[in-house]
Amino acid sequence: MQNKYLAMTPPMGWNSWNTFTWNINEDLVCGAADALCASGLKDKGYEYVVIDDCWSLKQRDENGRLVPDPEKFPHGMKAVADYVHSKGLKFGMYSCCGTHTCAGYPGSFEHEFVDAETFASWGVDYLKYDNCYKPKHMDGEVLYKRMSLALRNCGRDIVLSACNWGNEDVHSWIRSSGAQLFRSTGDIQDNWESVKNLFLSQLDKTAFSGPYCHNDIDMLIVGMHGSSNNEFIGNIGSCSDLEYRSHFALWAVMGSPLMIGCDIREMSDETRRILMNDEMIRINQDPLCRQPYKVKNHAWNDNVLIYVKALANGDLAIGMFNLSDEKSRAAMNLDEIGLPFSTGHTLELTEVWTGDTLRARNASLTAELEPFASKVYRAKVVKL
Ligand code: GLA
């Protein structure tokens, strides 16, 4: 029997695009599966290995089916899927709702049902579904509904990761389509400005994400350090480890999927530490999937944003993010999150990156933040 309850919490895994773009093959994909296991990422919950664009031939076969490029994937896709599954992982692929993919390979427009059947026959568990070359007269909503229906009737559980970059008010109809994810942003680039802008662009959309259908603010750039072979992704210099930390914290608190984009076969120790931070992952994967709400920063600094996320066990995740290149202060009042002094309660907090613990005093919480730094607390409500 199919399990229709896919992606209760945001999916976690690895995707080929950010670092490798067109330069993919079965050794890379199987190597990524090996690396997920050997590095310990799999044990932390990263389970999808996703091949992005550029995997097929430019023509369908005589039966109208997609054909993996035999030079890149000489043993075919089923063999790659079998290998990924043999490692206890799940396998993802990519197509597009238009006539072509963004890189010019065949898209699934008017081939939705046959493609869903093909993906199912290969053992695909996750489909990223892009938005390029969509015929002008077609409504995107209809096309995503069509692929969703095709996948939900292909005989296999396949997560639909819709990727229309936030067009056509996707947040307002995507959950009804049956899709499990919706990319709400344009493409991420390996620099802080991009991370910041993607985050800021979604602050009025937080109400639309939740269990079984998550706002996807794009794949992670953590640990890439300028390694993309794509000029757009890597053209303005990369990030420091501190910026990668804050990027990961933002994605975690926002409940975005955690799809790693770096070369996981060659991660630095700091990259591992960021991607494998247990508490940050626990906040991201909290079963309630509540979206964070904004709290006023009483330090009157517009560059420091404070976001609070309600967690399933009654705790709160409190994220303080300094988006600017100046040392800045964060200050919040506990009464604004439901804890005035008169309740006889306060917070006991553990900072997620350092493990430092503290108890809130005077019904407020303050922090000094280095440029681009973040503090994320797991906060427990305790009696005064
Ligand atoms: C679009 C998507 C990217 C990636 C590329 C592939 O730009 O937004 O995430 O999938 O296409 O061509």
Side-chain angles (χ1 to χ4, degrees):
M1 196 185 88
Q2 277 183 276
N3 167 22
K4 300 291 182 191
Y5 302 102
L6 299 175
M8 184 183 92
T9 59
M12 298 169 65
W14 174 85
N15 175 299
S16 60
W17 184 254
N18 279 354
T19 296
F20 301 96
T21 64
W22 52 270
N23 191 17
I24 51 172
N25 57 52
E26 66 181 30
D27 287 345
L28 171 73
V29 177
C30 294
D34 292 341
L36 275 180
C37 297
S39 61
L41 285 167
K42 178 187 164 201
D43 294 336
K44 301 288 178 187
Y46 295 91
E47 59 176 347
Y48 289 98
V49 177
V50 183
I51 303 179
D52 209 283
D53 205 349
C54 308
W55 58 267
S56 76
L57 288 180
K58 292 256 162 116
Q59 301 292 335
R60 290 174 178 268
D61 72 9
E62 62 281 8
N63 300 315
R65 293 199 180 247
L66 293 166
V67 187
D69 183 332
E71 285 195 5
K72 294 175 176 171
F73 298 96
H75 297 91
M77 267 323 159
K78 172 95 172 50
V80 178
D82 287 349
Y83 186 80
V84 170
H85 291 147
S86 77
K87 295 267 159 183
L89 297 164
K90 293 181 177 155
F91 181 54
M93 291 194 69
Y94 166 99
S95 188
C96 204
C97 74
T99 56
H100 294 81
T101 72
C102 299
Y105 294 83
S108 292
F109 179 63
E110 290 187 333
H111 293 82
E112 292 85 357
F113 279 74
V114 71
D115 287 357
E117 197 183 290
T118 303
F119 292 133
S121 73
W122 288 340
V124 169
D125 305 297
Y126 176 110
L127 181 69
K128 175 171 168 182
Y129 203 50
D130 217 333
N131 197 42
C132 279
Y133 296 99
K134 180 165 72 64
K136 291 262 180 310
H137 65 282
M138 290 303 306
D139 191 357
E141 180 175 347
V142 168
L143 294 184
Y144 281 93
K145 283 185 175 150
R146 207 189 278 176
M147 185 48 106
S148 176
L149 195 59
L151 289 178
R152 287 184 299 113
N153 289 279
C154 71
R156 191 176 169 86
D157 290 336
I158 302 183
V159 167
L160 176 54
S161 168
C163 176
N164 88 334
W165 322 309
N167 288 347
E168 301 177 81
D169 286 334
V170 62
H171 56 274
S172 66
W173 48 261
I174 193 70
R175 183 175 286 271
S176 320
S177 80
Q180 283 80 15
L181 293 169
F182 59 103
R183 250 287 287 288
S184 53
T185 63
D187 290 10
I188 198 165
Q189 295 173 292
D190 186 11
N191 62 68
W192 176 253
E193 213 39 39
S194 168
V195 165
K196 182 176 99 178
N197 291 336
L198 295 191
F199 167 67
L200 291 175
S201 76
Q202 292 311 301
L203 295 182
D204 59 344
K205 304 279 174 357
T206 52
F208 298 94
S209 193
Y212 306 109
C213 189
H214 310 273
N215 185 347
D216 172 1
I217 38 184
D218 206 357
M219 300 166 296
L220 299 166
I221 52 160
V222 175
M224 285 178 62
H225 290 296
S227 61
S228 180
N229 65 1
N230 179 288
E231 273 187 19
F232 174 78
I233 299 171
N235 64 358
I236 337 178
S238 182
C239 290
S240 66
D241 280 330
L242 184 82
E243 290 164 338
Y244 284 141
R245 264 190 193 208
S246 292
H247 159 45
F248 192 69
L250 287 167
W251 265 230
V253 170
M254 286 292 279
S256 183
L258 301 177
M259 300 300 285
I260 301 171
C262 71
D263 185 349
I264 49 177
R265 300 166 308 176
E266 295 178 1
M267 288 182 289
S268 70
D269 290 345
E270 182 56 16
T271 297
R272 280 168 211 270
R273 270 196 290 275
I274 296 171
L275 294 172
M276 296 195 208
N277 182 294
D278 287 321
E279 192 54 64
M280 210 59 94
I281 292 173
R282 202 148 74 96
I283 289 169
N284 176 262
Q285 293 292 304
D286 188 82
L288 285 187
C289 302
R290 298 287 168 164
Q291 289 298 291
Y293 62 88
K294 188 174 180 184
V295 179
K296 186 167 170 180
N297 181 13
H298 288 273
W300 302 112
N301 185 332
D302 291 345
N303 291 316
V304 174
L305 298 186
I306 306 176
Y307 272 81
V308 174
K309 175 177 159 105
L311 302 173
N313 71 343
D315 290 357
L316 297 169
I318 301 177
M320 296 176 158
F321 303 100
N322 181 4
L323 303 181
S324 77
D325 59 1
E326 284 176 10
K327 198 168 169 171
S328 301
R329 197 148 184 270
M332 61 182 269
N333 288 347
L334 299 197
D335 64 345
E336 289 167 26
I337 61 166
L339 270 188
F341 223 63
S342 57
T343 60
H345 289 78
T346 187
L347 294 177
E348 240 167 40
L349 307 110
T350 306
E351 208 284 316
V352 172
W353 293 119
T354 59
D356 293 347
T357 54
L358 66 128
R359 198 178 164 96
R361 287 185 296 158
N362 304 326
S364 68
L365 183 66
T366 58
E368 301 297 330
L369 294 161
E370 294 298 320
F372 312 116
S374 54
K375 281 188 196 285
V376 178
Y377 298 97
R378 183 155 188 130
K380 191 162 275 314
V381 177
V382 293
K383 288 214 159 72
L384 271 170

